[in-house]
Structure formats: structure tokens, C-alpha cells
Amino acid sequence: MHKALKKYFPVFVFPTLIPFVISFLIPVVMGIYLSFTKFTTVSNATFVGLENYKQLFSSGDNFLHALWFTVRFTVVSTLTVNLFAFALALLLTKGLPGTNFFRTVFFMPNLIGGIVLGYIWQLIINGLLSGLGVDITYSASYGFGGMILLTNWQLIGYMMIIYIAALQNIPREMKEVAAIDGANAWQSLRHITLPLVMPAVTICFFLTLTNSFKMFDQNYALTGGAPGRQTSMLALDIFQTFYGSVGSEGVGQAKAVVFFILVAIMAGVQLYFTRRREVDA
Amino acid sequence: MTHVRGKITTVATIAFLSLLCLLFVLPIFIVLFNSFKGQFFIANAPFALPNTDTFVGLLNYKNGIAKIGFFSAFGYSLLITVLSVFGILLTASMTAWYVTRVRGRGVKALYYALVFSMIVPFQMVMFTMSRVANLLHLENPLGIVVLYIGFGAGMSVFMFSGFVRGIPVALEEAAEIDGCNPIKTFFYVVFPLLKPTAIMIAILNAMWIWNDYLLPYLVIGSQYRTIPVAVQYLQGGYGSRDMGALMAMLILAIIPIIIFYAFSQKSIISGVVAGAVKG
């Protein structure tokens, strides 16, 4: 079979390979090259070496500010989302009536697209702030809080489902034995439940982390970076650099390369943790 | 005594969860009742229910649908999502079978390139990809399907490969002895076995493509608007937008998702979990 299959390369691989080359491989290679050039359209690129990279790390550029904002946002959202999701999962694995219904409702916001989510929360947050006579564009901390609220609303249900699956895999006997040995609820959670759901914790942490770090749609619709570009996260900052003003495309592309390297590092760390866990188990 | 206390805790927990549930759906209900209020009564008092002064019936829906061409946006979203999902299922499953069964350096390189593409953020290729798409005249609803097949390939081939490895090679060899060529073997033997995985991959891709904003905006946004692009289009300059139409369009954008969720809730949830654990 496999000798016969080998000849069918064009039939089985071209339909994936050709779109993949067009939409990914060529653009990535071009993108890396263009980050060392100055250009407005691709054809007029002139090589400028590391100029774009110097520019994005200079104090006049928004990039470092966006990076810092993104890091703060990512840390807070990862912690809050996972804490709430885990607590909900604990409540929903006690065999209470209505559990399925609650699960369905909590998961639902996850299906709504980022642009729509952004405008839903813009309405709510502006409504809450109207008592103070301001709106979300008034201060970066309102935008930050709004993003955290939105992200929690969107991701809690998703992470909760993963935690529930993990909690349901814990053998009932283990907790019963612990109870007989005199363990209280906290001890049982700390020494039995938590160690057994650690794989799920790793998955959920990295899912929230990468999701928050790469967030674009929600940020774009909710604050659009306002006030100024103070609440632009990395993805939005790159977009604004590309399309906000003519002539800074090279800098935008260089930012995209740095952004990619940061995301790749996160993926590497995740792989390391997942692999290590597999060895332990 | 402990029994009574247990019961009280149960009731208290359910009450607490119900309250949380209400809080979770509240944002959508707030948008819903605002969609029936006149556009100047929304931003200042979003938490006020419509009353005889502010109620405008379906006016916002009428205005919104006309302003953004909601039905054509819905049509484009549906067309692009359905074609892309079927395209991805077909091409990714075929390629996954090939790269799992055939050994060789080229095949291995392709597989790693596909896996690698999963971690590259869209911003990295956003500008150059729209240039390439322009050059190849892919800036139409069918052309964008090609781009989605390319972008979806990474995750989908990766996930399909994981399941192809679990299929006994003996099954395929039996088909070959019975006179099947690889194409027949794939469609009669391999693909039917991949069906549960295919459903999961279809759901993950459908959710991504239906809600995707940047790719359709950059590639076809000037001529063909999908739902997210159409909703964003309503924004206009800050302050000058029609809040009523925006509320109505948010509701119309959510309705198809809720209907889809109601019908395939179980497979959506299990698909998302399996996707998360795999990826």
C-alpha cells in the first residue's frame, strides 16, 4: 500500500500544500525579509538592516508600552480566569441538580466572536461609567478593567469545561479513603484533587496565556486602543503601525517578527512543561 | 443534623449558581432590550428598560439591516464558513493520511512546517498575505476559501494525523489486496473511520472562521462583508454611530450562534475540550 501511495503525492498533498504555500510559507518568508527593509508596497522595498528593530525599541514608539500593557493584562486575566473557572468546576462536579444547564450557560459566551463581544461590553462598561460622567476611553485603567471583565466572561466557561473533565476522572475511592483517614475538605483538595488535575491546570494556563497575549478583536472593538494608543495590546499596536500611517510598514513588520518570537518562546515553554509531565507520569 | 446542613448547602449552592447564570446572560439581555430603544436613549441609559417614550419596535433592525446589508453578510459568512470547513476536512484528512503512512525527508519537513504554522500569530503574515492574495486575485469569497484551507491546515493535519496513527495498517492492506487503489482505500476505508475526529475538527474550524474578523476584512472587506466585518463597519467615527442599529446587529449576529449551539451543544463542548487537550 505505502509504495503505491507514494506515487499519489499530487493527489493527497497538493490540495493542502498549494494553499499552505500561498497563505503561509511565502508570506512568512517575505515578512521576515521585509522586516529589514523600508517599504509601502512590497515591490519598493529597500534594505535598511536593523533600522526597523531599533525604531520599535526606541522611546518614541508605542511598542514597549503595548508590550508592558499586554504582559500585565495576560497575567491578571490568566490568574482570574483560571481561579474562577476552577471554582465553578468544583461546584459543578458535586452532582447537584441542574449541573448540565449551568455548564451550557457558562460556556455560551465562548462561541461569540471577539468583535461582537467587544461591543457588548463597551455598552455595559460605558453604562456603568456614565454615573461618573465618563466612558471607557477616559482612562487606560478603565480599558484595562474592561478587557479583564470581557476576557473572564469569554473564557471562564471554556476553562471550566476542561477542569470539569479532569475532576470527573479522579477516582471516587481516593477521596473516600482520605475522608476516612480524617482529611478535611481543604486537605483533600490540596493533596488529592489538585495534584491529580495538574495536567488540566497546565493546559488551561497556557490556553488563557496565549489567548490573552494574542488578543486582537476584543481589544479593537472594546477600546480601539483609546485613550490614544494607551490600551493597544501588541496585536493591535502592530495593526495600527501597519495601517495607521503610510511609511511605517517596515516597523510594523519588525514588530510582528518580535511578536512572533515571543509567542514561539511561550509555545516552547508550554511544550517543555507538557513533555516533562509525560515523563513524570 | 449533617443531613440538614448538607441540604442547606445544596440549596445555597444552587441559588448561588443560578444567580451567576443570570449575571452571565445579563449582558446579552441588556443588548437585547436596548435594541428596541431609540438610538439616542441607549448610550446614556443602557440599563433602563424600553418605555413608551423610548420604544421604537423593530426600527433599529430595519435600519441596521439596510446599513450593513446584513443578509448578504450572513450569506457570505455562511458560504465562506461552509466551503472552508469542507475544504479543510477533505484536504487535511488526505494529507494527514499521506504524511502518516509515507516516510521520507520531504514528508517529514512538510509535517513540521504545518505544525510550526500553528504557533505563528496572524499579525506576522497579515500584510504580506494580503499582498499575495491580491496578486493571485484571491480577493473574492471563493479565493478566501483557499486562504482558509492554508491557514487551517496546520491544526487540522496535526489532529487528523494523531487519529490516523490509531488506525491499523492491516485494514488498509486488506483493501489493497481486494484491489483498491489509494484513493479508493482512503475514501472507503480510512475516511469513514475518521468521522468522529472530522466532526470535532469541523466545529473548531467553523467557530474560528465564522467569527474571524481580520482575514476577511483585509482580503475581501472592501467588496464583500462577512458578519464581523459588517458589525465593525457600523462603528464609523466614534460618537457618530447609530447605537440602535449596532444593538440590533449584535443581536442578529448572536442568534445564529445560539441556534447552532442549541442543536449541537454536546459535540461543540466535547470538540472544544478534545481540541484543547490535543493542541
Side-chain angles (χ1 to χ4, degrees):
Chain A
M1 166 54 53
H2 305 129
K3 281 220 173 97
L5 178 59
K6 203 160 190 174
K7 280 181 284 180
Y8 281 77
F9 185 83
V11 180
F12 283 89
V13 178
F14 277 3
T16 302
L17 186 60
I18 293 165
F20 183 66
V21 168
I22 294 173
S23 65
F24 183 78
L25 277 186
I26 294 175
V28 164
V29 174
M30 265 169 78
I32 293 171
Y33 165 69
L34 287 176
S35 73
F36 299 105
T37 66
K38 194 167 169 55
F39 65 98
T40 48
T41 62
V42 173
S43 46
N44 64 2
T46 49
F47 192 77
V48 294
L50 289 173
E51 211 45 52
N52 294 326
Y53 290 91
K54 273 186 205 150
Q55 160 88 41
L56 74 89
F57 286 115
S58 73
S59 57
D61 199 276
N62 196 46
F63 188 75
L64 289 177
H65 181 272
L67 176 63
W68 177 231
F69 189 86
T70 310
V71 168
R72 279 189 304 150
F73 165 76
T74 304
V75 169
V76 175
S77 72
T78 302
L79 291 178
T80 50
V81 166
N82 282 284
L83 196 67
F84 292 132
F86 190 71
L88 270 183
L90 281 178
L91 287 180
L92 290 177
T93 43
K94 290 196 186 301
L96 299 171
T99 300
N100 252 331
F101 171 77
F102 290 130
R103 226 189 318 189
T104 309
V105 173
F106 292 140
F107 182 76
M108 187 267 307
N110 189 252
L111 299 170
I112 302 173
I115 295 284
V116 175
L117 284 174
Y119 287 119
I120 294 175
W121 280 93
Q122 195 184 62
L123 175 81
I124 311 266
I125 289 159
N126 282 345
L128 293 171
L129 290 174
S130 69
L132 304 170
V134 294
D135 68 9
I136 196 161
T137 63
Y138 179 76
S139 143
S141 44
Y142 295 153
F144 184 84
M147 292 289 297
I148 295 289
L149 263 176
L150 184 158
T151 308
N152 271 274
W153 193 60
Q154 183 186 14
L155 293 180
I156 282 176
Y158 185 171
M159 303 307 148
M160 172 201 77
I161 296 276
I162 299 174
Y163 283 130
I164 286 177
L167 287 169
Q168 282 170 340
N169 275 335
I170 298 176
R172 187 179 284 271
E173 300 83 43
M174 292 192 78
K175 282 189 179 169
E176 284 169 2
V177 169
I180 291 168
D181 285 350
N184 61 29
W186 168 248
Q187 285 169 325
S188 166
L189 175 70
R190 171 74 188 77
H191 295 289
I192 294 180
T193 310
L194 267 182
L196 286 172
V197 296
M198 267 330 269
V201 174
T202 315
I203 290 168
C204 289
F205 254 79
F206 278 103
L207 269 177
T208 333
L209 207 67
T210 44
N211 244 311
S212 308
F213 196 77
K214 295 197 284 189
M215 189 166 282
F216 175 84
D217 295 5
Q218 293 86 331
N219 189 194
Y220 188 49
L222 184 68
T223 70
R229 276 165 75 175
Q230 286 182 40
T231 60
S232 293
M233 298 208 297
L234 287 176
L236 182 56
D237 181 63
I238 293 168
F239 179 82
Q240 286 166 333
T241 310
F242 263 119
Y243 301 102
S245 60
V246 180
S248 52
E249 287 85 353
V251 181
Q253 192 59 55
K255 287 181 177 184
V257 171
V258 175
F259 184 47
F260 158 60
I261 292 169
L262 294 173
V263 172
I265 291 172
M266 283 164 67
V269 174
Q270 174 175 19
L271 194 69
Y272 171 76
F273 275 105
T274 322
R275 283 271 161 85
R276 202 182 62 170
R277 192 186 75 216
E278 276 165 5
V279 175
D280 284 350
Chain B
M1 197 49 202
T2 45
H3 185 67
V4 174
R5 234 176 64 191
K7 243 188 179 158
I8 293 173
T9 333
T10 306
V11 171
T13 314
I14 292 176
F16 173 70
L17 285 170
S18 310
L19 195 76
L20 263 183
C21 247
L22 268 178
L23 266 176
F24 251 74
V25 293
L26 199 62
I28 293 175
F29 278 99
I30 293 175
V31 174
L32 179 68
F33 68 64
N34 276 296
S35 73
F36 298 110
K37 285 163 42 177
Q39 60 161 312
F40 301 110
F41 300 101
I42 295 170
N44 311 326
F47 305 127
L49 286 164
N51 57 37
T52 42
D53 289 334
T54 59
F55 184 75
V56 292
L58 292 176
L59 182 72
N60 291 327
Y61 287 85
K62 229 178 84 189
N63 287 344
I65 287 170
K67 268 186 189 161
I68 67 174
F70 179 82
F71 292 112
S72 79
F74 180 83
Y76 287 132
S77 276
L78 195 65
L79 179 81
I80 292 170
T81 307
V82 169
L83 289 182
S84 303
V85 167
F86 278 106
I88 290 172
L89 285 184
L90 187 69
T91 58
S93 61
M94 289 172 82
T95 304
W97 187 53
Y98 191 94
V99 298
T100 324
R101 293 298 188 230
V102 175
R103 287 174 202 290
R105 252 189 241 155
V107 171
K108 219 174 191 174
L110 171 66
Y111 180 73
Y112 283 117
L114 285 166
V115 172
F116 169 75
S117 79
M118 283 196 288
I119 61 163
V120 176
F122 183 71
Q123 276 69 26
M124 177 69 199
V125 294
M126 153 175 94
F127 184 85
T128 44
M129 184 273 310
S130 36
R131 289 287 145 172
V132 174
N134 217 296
L135 216 72
L136 297 173
H137 301 292
L138 294 174
E139 63 284 64
N140 57 67
L142 287 180
I144 204 172
V145 170
V146 176
L147 300 177
Y148 274 123
I149 290 175
F151 273 109
M155 182 195 71
S156 306
V157 170
F158 175 71
M159 288 175 79
F160 270 128
S161 305
F163 286 87
V164 169
R165 274 183 219 119
I167 298 175
V169 183
L171 276 179
E172 296 157 22
E173 283 163 354
E176 192 193 10
I177 291 164
D178 287 345
C180 285
N181 64 22
I183 296 175
K184 272 192 174 162
T185 306
F186 178 77
F187 284 104
Y188 288 127
V189 179
V190 179
F191 193 74
L193 292 170
L194 292 174
K195 209 177 137 195
T197 320
I199 292 173
M200 188 174 93
I201 292 173
I203 285 171
L204 289 173
N205 281 307
M207 278 169 51
W208 157 53
I209 296 167
W210 180 267
N211 288 325
D212 196 20
Y213 168 74
L214 260 186
L215 180 62
Y217 168 72
L218 292 174
V219 178
I220 56 172
S222 49
Q223 294 167 62
Y224 312 94
R225 289 186 211 116
T226 58
I227 293 180
V229 179
V231 169
Q232 175 63 28
Y233 175 76
L234 209 50
Q235 162 80 9
Y238 207 92
S240 68
R241 63 186 167 170
D242 180 344
M243 280 300 277
L246 178 63
M247 294 302 117
M249 293 308 101
L250 291 179
I251 291 299
L252 289 189
I254 294 172
I255 287 174
I257 295 171
I258 304 256
I259 292 174
F260 182 58
Y261 187 41
F263 280 106
S264 46
Q265 187 220 114
K266 274 222 174 93
S267 19
I268 290 179
I269 291 185
S270 58
V272 166
V273 174
V277 177
K278 268 268 140 199

